[in-house]
Amino acid sequence: MATTEVTAPSLEAQRTPVVNDFSIQVATVNGSGSQSANTVLLRTIFQMGVPVSGKNLFPSNIAGLPTWYTIRASKDGFVARKKEIDFVVAMNPETAKEDVLALEPGAAVLYDEPLNLKDLRSDVTFYAVAFDKIVAEVCKEAKLRKLVKNMIYVGVMAKLLALDMKEVEKAIRRQFATKVKAADLNWNAAQAGHDYAVQNLPKQDPFKIERMNKTEGQIIIDGNAAAALGAMFAGVSVVTWYPITPSSSLVENLIEYMKEHRLDADGKATFAIVQAEDELAAVGMVLGGGWMGARAMTATAGPGISLMGEFTGLGYYVEVPAVIWDVQRVGPSTGLPTRTAQGDIMKVANLSHGDARHPMLFPHSVAECFEFAGAAFDLAETLQTPVFVMSDLDLGMNNWMSEPFAYPTQPLKRGKVLSAEQLTQLGGFARYKDVDGDGIPYRTVPGTKHPQAAWFARGSGHNEKSQYTERPDDYVNNMDRLARKFATARKLVPQADIVQDGGKVGIIAYGTSHHAIVESLSQLLKEYGVGLDYLRLKGFPFGEEVHDYIARHDRVYVVDQNRDHQMFDLLKLDIKPEHVTKLRSVRHYNGLPIDARSVTDAILAQEVK
Amino acid sequence: MATTSAPQPKTNHIGLTVLDYRGGKTTLCAGCGHNAISERIIDAMYEMGVQPEEIIKMSGIGCSSKTPAYFMSRSFSFNSVHGRMPAVTTGAVLANQKMMAIGISGDGDTASIGMGQFVHLMRRNIPMIYIIEDNGVYGLTKGQFSATADIGSKLKTGVINDLPPIDTCALAIMMGATFVGRSFSGDKKQLHTMLKAAIAHKGTAMLDVISPCVTFNDHEGSTKSYKFMKDHEEPLHDLNFVPYFEEINVDYDEGTTTAVQMHDGSKLLLKKLEHDYDPKDKINAVHRIMESHKTGEMLTGVFYVNPDAPSFLDLLNMTDTPLAQLPESTLRPSKATLEAIMEEYR
């Protein structure tokens, strides 16, 4: 074994242990198979009962470019990205130096020995590991060495952080569930890393994991898989899609679930999933399916949303249900395809030409991805209109811990659909007539066996009977009814969650920003004695509770993950003019998931003047 | 008192009169070929005894795409966006495979803006009738060339087309359509027969129907005018069709007529004008179409038919009940299923 050097920083760091509250960043080369090792590390901490979150920062590239995985352990349950990295595992020569120089004093670095990083600075702990030598001993087959090399750092980290090796083994066996040989090989690698650390790396840093009981019964899942499950339990039957990061895994997961759980007694599919030729076709198929009475959906990202504009306007105007998942990424144009943002809010709210408006739902957690998948279908069929679920890459593609999902208690809401029997009783119907005063007309689905069932779905001007017309009064009548329908939607979308209330200054946020806000509220109170209220938006159009919240506060910070404060603008358009000046914008748009410290600093900069 | 009974209107084999298949009053130009096509659709649907409520009429944008309003008012209709009728139809057929889809498109709708969706529809062999009402010109935007206009053909304004045309039939065959033909809106018998056979077909039946535009493209110099078509139409064969509900007992001469059996037992009869035309030979079909371009003739007839190819729906292995009609008990897996899945994620 080679001589290993451990260099230590100040002794102060060693004296104050940091337990269950730090972040680890693993820097590797894209395509080197580090995902398994990182997942094992994450799961081990989770299995020890410590709240944990994992975020994959990866390039738009198949192999070769730098990629980072950050794991945050938080005894307090904070799961947002933490800006400061406490422990770096440096495996990638290209970024190692930069990663080390970016650390705060007192951090620790585990690195691949040939990188020779220890002289870079004196205020962090360095652990050098001869990965190539260890892997050569543990893995006889040279071609497999690349695959197991990463599992060695799991073993080393297990020793340094005091992780239970029984939990490491459990996580490895779970990761390679059906591949026993691979599981054995990886377990051997982890053990070798552990042994190496025991023999060569005396503990010098303050970071360690101790067992807790805060994750019992919880699951770990990503938002796209959760959304897919939600769609399946919501009764989706026509799914069309065109591959695009970061939404592809939503449908890929759905394909697997449906093949497993949605076959009839004869083994036949109770669904159709089609990879379309492009996003235009994908959403067109959804409209055809929705018109026909099936629960139909697609999933896409910003560029796909742009392409879906024309069809979305058609869906709004002919009034057919559709569910569109927008797993947002960084734009404009191709933007940063593998980075996260909330940049499609304004675009989606009015997608298409003319006066079109669309309901949006904003899930903030994997549990809400599951729940809103069903809510979106209920809403789309109730309102007879396209409904958008605004997820993002951070939620969709990262693993999150959660309580298990609750089985839906309500039956599927199919909206105002007339049967042949009802048509006989009524003697016919007018497709676009506002019978109930809520702007929502009655519809029939094609195939309804009644001579008066048919109607003509058309994107051109139409009257109450769906006959072609260019008469000004008919047009105004129809557009005013659609506006009434949108007003009805205000009462039907999920109500905002008022997390904290009673003060004079508040925050409004939505989606994945939630996790940073919760932590920021804690920082503001603990560190600066500033107590703020908090409302989390769950749907658009905004309900009365949102207007009331703004009305009763003196100042309201609206937190957006986009440059142009899109939600802030959308709120400004909706609220009473006298309240507009109360709104203040906090923005985060560098492609990384939003962190608490950035929010705290931005609010303090405006509050303390 | 003597009783005289009013003459009963003639009905088809499902008891409906031809009036049950009519639509609204056309707003297209008087003499438009598209109106003749609507008439043929009405006749064919009536004769084949198709239940109007089981039809979906699909279209995109353009003069052609207005026509579903002019036939079969009891059928459901979707007038979508320019060139993207194939996607809407695909979604609709996936949701309810028991509905019969008839899509009406134009040469602009199909061969320019809708080309991408057109080829993928053909490739999937979605069960539907896809009719291109082809006049080589954009009518609603007042007379620009479309992508099917022949090279050298002239507009009323004197503009000459210098780009080669897209032959939608050759393209459809190459892309995988399983019933491909070309007809002329003025050829009543041929179009009528082709439509009936298309109704009996279970995959994509693509019919390119030359339909002269009386306002912008029916003059000297146009290769899609009535006169040009009358002078240059070259039928590949005489067509006849015997639906499954009629007794298959027709007078045809073995050796000069090919009978193609459709999946429902109907028969498409092709009386050969050419000695060796085999409508199941894809390569020969494309060859003959290409050859006709060289000779300047407007070849019509059923170029290619394959009634045995699986449709897209066959590949999906869907349950027999249309997806749109499945009950909640089928659509939503049980609570135990969710709990088992949750266990996998613990």
Side-chain angles (χ1 to χ4, degrees):
Chain A
M1 201 63 75
T3 315
T4 306
E5 287 188 68
V6 176
T7 54
S10 72
L11 290 172
E12 198 182 338
Q14 300 166 40
R15 280 191 220 108
T16 321
V18 179
V19 181
N20 296 347
D21 192 14
F22 56 92
S23 63
I24 303 165
Q25 183 175 66
V26 183
T28 51
V29 179
N30 201 30
S32 65
S34 55
Q35 192 67 9
S36 297
N38 297 333
T39 307
V40 166
L41 198 51
L42 176 90
R43 287 207 71 96
T44 301
I45 298 170
F46 173 78
Q47 285 164 203
M48 290 178 71
V50 181
V52 70
S53 60
K55 293 191 191 300
N56 194 10
L57 307 175
F58 58 105
S60 177
N61 158 270
I62 304 294
L65 291 183
T67 180
W68 295 268
Y69 189 77
T70 60
I71 296 171
R72 178 179 186 186
S74 168
K75 59 183 171 28
D76 301 315
F78 295 131
V79 292
R81 182 176 72 89
K82 189 178 162 213
K83 230 177 176 179
E84 306 78 18
I85 302 298
D86 298 307
F87 209 131
V88 158
V89 180
M91 303 295 286
N92 185 358
E94 204 179 317
T95 67
K97 196 176 163 190
E98 191 185 336
D99 290 339
V100 168
L101 292 176
L103 293 169
E104 297 287 320
V109 179
L110 168 64
Y111 67 95
D112 196 4
E113 196 174 42
L115 297 177
N116 196 22
L117 301 174
K118 68 179 167 46
D119 297 330
L120 276 177
R121 43 195 293 189
S122 58
D123 57 350
V124 299
T125 307
F126 285 101
Y127 301 100
V129 176
F131 284 103
D132 286 333
K133 285 185 182 165
I134 303 172
V135 81
E137 285 166 23
V138 80
C139 185
K140 300 294 171 225
E141 288 183 64
K143 63 178 181 180
L144 293 177
R145 282 175 195 160
K146 191 183 149 201
L147 295 174
V148 298
K149 185 176 169 183
N150 290 314
M151 204 56 79
I152 292 169
Y153 68 65
V154 175
V156 175
M157 289 296 279
K159 166 65 180 67
L160 293 174
L161 300 177
L163 300 177
D164 188 337
M165 282 301 277
K166 283 193 192 117
E167 300 291 0
V168 173
E169 182 178 7
K170 190 175 152 194
I172 287 175
R173 303 239 171 251
R174 181 198 164 87
Q175 185 71 19
F176 302 96
T178 54
K179 300 167 191 160
V180 179
K181 205 179 150 196
D184 289 344
L185 194 58
N186 278 283
W187 171 229
N188 289 342
Q191 281 180 304
H194 191 264
D195 291 348
Y196 179 91
V198 168
Q199 289 163 22
N200 301 287
L201 305 177
K203 175 80 170 170
Q204 300 287 326
D205 68 85
F207 307 109
K208 65 182 290 200
I209 294 291
E210 283 177 7
R211 275 194 188 272
M212 295 178 79
N213 59 355
K214 282 196 171 176
T215 64
E216 202 178 334
Q218 296 211 338
I219 58 168
I220 291 184
I221 191 170
D222 64 64
N224 283 348
L229 279 176
M232 178 169 75
F233 282 91
V236 70
S237 59
V238 175
V239 183
T240 59
W241 66 301
Y242 186 72
I244 183 169
T245 303
S247 72
S248 297
S249 66
L250 197 163
V251 183
E252 285 163 346
N253 274 293
L254 188 53
I255 292 168
E256 294 306 313
Y257 294 137
M258 297 287 260
K259 283 199 300 202
E260 180 81 23
H261 304 291
R262 280 281 298 276
L263 301 180
D264 70 8
D266 300 322
K268 291 193 165 185
T270 61
F271 60 89
I273 301 180
V274 177
Q275 185 180 322
E277 56 269 35
D278 52 37
E279 285 94 343
L280 293 85
V283 72
M285 291 176 194
V286 169
L287 292 186
W291 173 60
M292 192 60 87
R295 290 200 147 185
M297 69 170 258
T298 185
T300 190
I305 289 293
S306 296
L307 291 174
M308 291 179 182
E310 186 189 26
F311 256 135
T312 301
L314 178 75
Y316 172 80
Y317 203 41
V318 300
E319 301 179 59
V320 296
V323 170
I324 300 163
W325 276 82
D326 180 6
V327 187
Q328 297 169 90
R329 64 187 217 186
V330 176
S333 188
T334 308
L336 307 177
T338 59
R339 298 306 171 101
T340 196
Q342 300 172 322
D344 302 343
I345 307 298
M346 215 45 168
K347 174 90 181 165
V348 166
N350 303 101
L351 191 59
S352 194
H353 50 275
D355 293 320
R357 300 175 111 191
H358 314 290
M360 293 185 277
L361 304 180
F362 307 104
H364 79 302
S365 64
V366 289
E368 260 183 11
C369 282
F370 179 84
E371 184 191 332
F372 285 4
F377 280 113
D378 285 350
L379 205 55
E381 289 205 276
T382 301
L383 292 168
Q384 301 172 27
T385 201
V387 170
F388 290 80
V389 190
M390 308 299 286
S391 179
D392 63 28
L393 182 142
D394 185 18
L395 181 54
M397 289 188 72
N398 284 322
N399 275 316
W400 300 76
M401 54 178 203
S402 169
E403 292 296 325
F405 303 151
Y407 191 72
T409 52
Q410 299 295 314
L412 309 182
K413 291 180 185 158
R414 308 311 298 257
K416 298 179 182 179
V417 178
L418 293 171
S419 64
E421 295 72 31
Q422 288 169 312
L423 285 173
T424 302
Q425 285 165 12
L426 294 167
F429 84 117
R431 169 67 181 106
Y432 293 118
K433 190 168 181 186
D434 191 0
V435 178
D436 303 322
D438 56 5
I440 306 172
Y442 285 80
R443 68 171 178 144
T444 57
V445 295
T448 304
K449 291 186 176 35
H450 193 282
Q452 267 98 46
W455 56 283
F456 208 107
R458 58 172 104 234
S460 47
H462 44 266
N463 62 17
E464 287 182 340
K465 292 179 177 172
S466 196
Q467 293 159 328
Y468 179 72
T469 175
E470 295 183 12
R471 284 175 59 110
D473 54 344
D474 279 335
Y475 178 78
V476 170
N477 185 39
N478 200 24
M479 292 303 285
D480 286 351
R481 180 186 54 76
L482 283 163
R484 277 200 299 285
K485 185 162 92 165
F486 205 66
T488 301
R490 276 186 203 281
K491 298 171 209 150
L492 300 181
V493 297
Q495 278 220 337
D497 190 4
I498 298 175
V499 182
Q500 202 158 295
D501 207 2
K504 285 288 159 201
V505 183
I507 299 177
I508 288 180
Y510 56 100
T512 45
S513 299
H514 169 79
H515 311 286
I517 303 304
V518 171
E519 190 177 351
S520 175
L521 287 171
S522 163
Q523 286 174 349
L524 285 163
L525 192 62
K526 250 195 227 166
E527 300 172 15
Y528 308 97
V530 177
L532 261 57
D533 291 347
Y534 172 35
L535 175 145
R536 181 169 67 85
L537 296 167
K538 289 159 81 175
F540 173 79
F542 309 117
E544 281 310 309
E545 76 284 4
V546 179
H547 295 90
D548 293 345
Y549 177 87
I550 295 169
R552 67 176 174 265
H553 284 86
D554 294 339
R555 289 185 298 287
V556 178
Y557 291 92
V558 183
V559 181
D560 271 293
Q561 293 185 56
N562 55 67
R563 182 194 69 180
D564 290 346
H565 44 66
Q566 298 183 21
M567 188 64 86
F568 169 85
D569 278 357
L570 202 54
L571 281 161
K572 278 204 297 189
L573 292 172
D574 212 55
I575 61 177
K576 288 184 180 163
E578 61 264 35
H579 296 318
V580 164
T581 53
K582 294 178 174 187
L583 298 185
R584 295 181 178 193
S585 173
V586 171
R587 302 160 302 139
H588 175 94
Y589 54 94
N590 62 5
L592 300 174
I594 189 169
D595 64 283
R597 186 58 62 189
S598 299
V599 176
T600 301
D601 291 349
I603 288 175
L604 282 177
Q606 296 188 62
E607 276 297 294
V608 187
K609 272 184 181 168
Chain B
M1 193 171 153
T3 55
T4 51
S5 56
Q8 291 297 307
K10 204 175 151 197
T11 57
N12 62 8
H13 78 272
I14 63 163
L16 297 180
T17 71
V18 76
L19 284 176
D20 294 315
Y21 292 84
R22 300 213 72 85
K25 189 174 176 294
T26 178
T27 59
L28 298 174
C29 308
C32 176
H34 298 2
N35 290 328
I37 298 170
S38 294
E39 290 298 320
R40 299 293 81 73
I41 292 169
I42 290 167
D43 291 346
M45 291 288 181
Y46 166 75
E47 280 187 30
M48 291 292 281
V50 177
Q51 188 70 42
E53 289 78 17
E54 291 173 4
I55 293 283
I56 50 172
K57 302 176 292 176
M58 314 300 289
S59 64
I61 295 292
C63 292
S64 59
S65 291
K66 284 172 173 278
T67 65
Y70 315 138
F71 59 87
M72 300 183 80
S73 295
R74 281 170 55 172
S75 302
F76 295 82
S77 195
F78 202 134
N79 183 196
S80 62
V81 291
H82 207 187
R84 333 240 191 250
M85 170 265 279
V88 183
T89 310
T90 301
V93 171
L94 291 175
N96 188 342
Q97 77 270 34
K98 303 226 161 133
M99 299 295 283
M100 179 189 286
I102 178 165
I104 311 291
S105 186
D107 37 307
D109 196 65
T110 286
S112 289
I113 189 167
M115 180 59 92
Q117 297 218 335
F118 173 72
V119 295
H120 285 278
L121 180 83
M122 299 298 130
R123 177 175 167 245
R124 292 194 180 101
N125 196 22
I126 297 285
M128 74 174 294
I129 301 166
Y130 189 104
I131 296 172
I132 304 172
E133 298 185 338
D134 187 355
N135 53 23
V137 77
Y138 285 79
L140 275 180
T141 49
K142 306 215 186 273
Q144 301 81 12
F145 278 122
S146 85
T148 66
D150 289 303
I151 199 160
S153 62
K154 203 191 277 183
L155 281 182
K156 224 174 177 177
T157 53
V159 179
I160 293 173
N161 182 42
D162 48 13
L163 283 177
I166 291 169
D167 192 310
T168 53
C169 287
L171 189 61
I173 294 169
M174 288 191 284
M175 286 297 124
T178 49
F179 186 115
V180 178
R182 175 168 286 139
S183 191
F184 167 42
S185 64
D187 188 340
K188 201 169 172 177
K189 179 177 176 294
Q190 186 195 51
L191 179 55
H192 183 63
T193 308
M194 275 167 64
L195 280 168
K196 286 198 292 183
I199 291 167
H201 184 64
K202 75 160 187 167
T204 306
M206 204 299 275
L207 303 180
D208 178 49
V209 186
I210 308 299
S211 172
C213 173
V214 292
T215 303
F216 295 109
N217 207 8
D218 193 28
H219 52 84
E220 274 307 303
S222 160
T223 58
K224 291 202 166 38
S225 66
Y226 273 106
K227 185 171 184 312
F228 186 90
M229 281 302 294
K230 289 284 182 202
D231 293 346
H232 294 81
E233 189 190 0
E234 194 65 42
L236 192 59
H237 32 225
D238 264 354
L239 291 172
N240 207 343
F241 177 75
V242 187
Y244 76 98
F245 49 82
E246 282 180 15
E247 198 182 346
I248 309 279
N249 180 21
V250 286
D251 180 24
Y252 63 88
D253 194 351
E254 286 291 343
T256 61
T257 301
T258 295
V260 181
Q261 179 148 352
M262 313 304 277
H263 80 285
D264 67 351
S266 303
K267 283 201 169 149
L268 173 65
L269 308 175
L270 301 95
K271 187 178 172 198
K272 285 175 187 169
L273 298 182
E274 299 203 355
H275 295 302
D276 55 354
Y277 194 77
D278 173 6
K280 288 189 171 184
D281 184 341
K282 197 180 255 195
I283 295 167
N284 188 41
V286 176
H287 176 78
R288 279 298 287 117
I289 294 170
M290 292 294 135
E291 207 172 51
S292 73
H293 292 177
K294 266 203 279 187
T295 58
E297 65 191 14
M298 187 54 81
L299 198 62
T300 62
V302 174
F303 301 139
Y304 177 68
V305 57
N306 179 0
D308 306 319
S311 77
F312 191 61
L313 300 183
D314 297 327
L315 304 178
L316 290 171
N317 188 35
M318 284 192 287
T319 189
D320 292 339
T321 307
L323 300 179
Q325 292 168 6
L326 290 172
E328 183 170 333
S329 56
T330 304
L331 290 171
R332 174 175 280 167
S334 69
K335 192 175 182 186
T337 301
L338 180 63
E339 282 167 3
I341 294 170
M342 290 296 97
E343 199 52 45
E344 289 170 21
Y345 282 100
R346 280 212 167 90

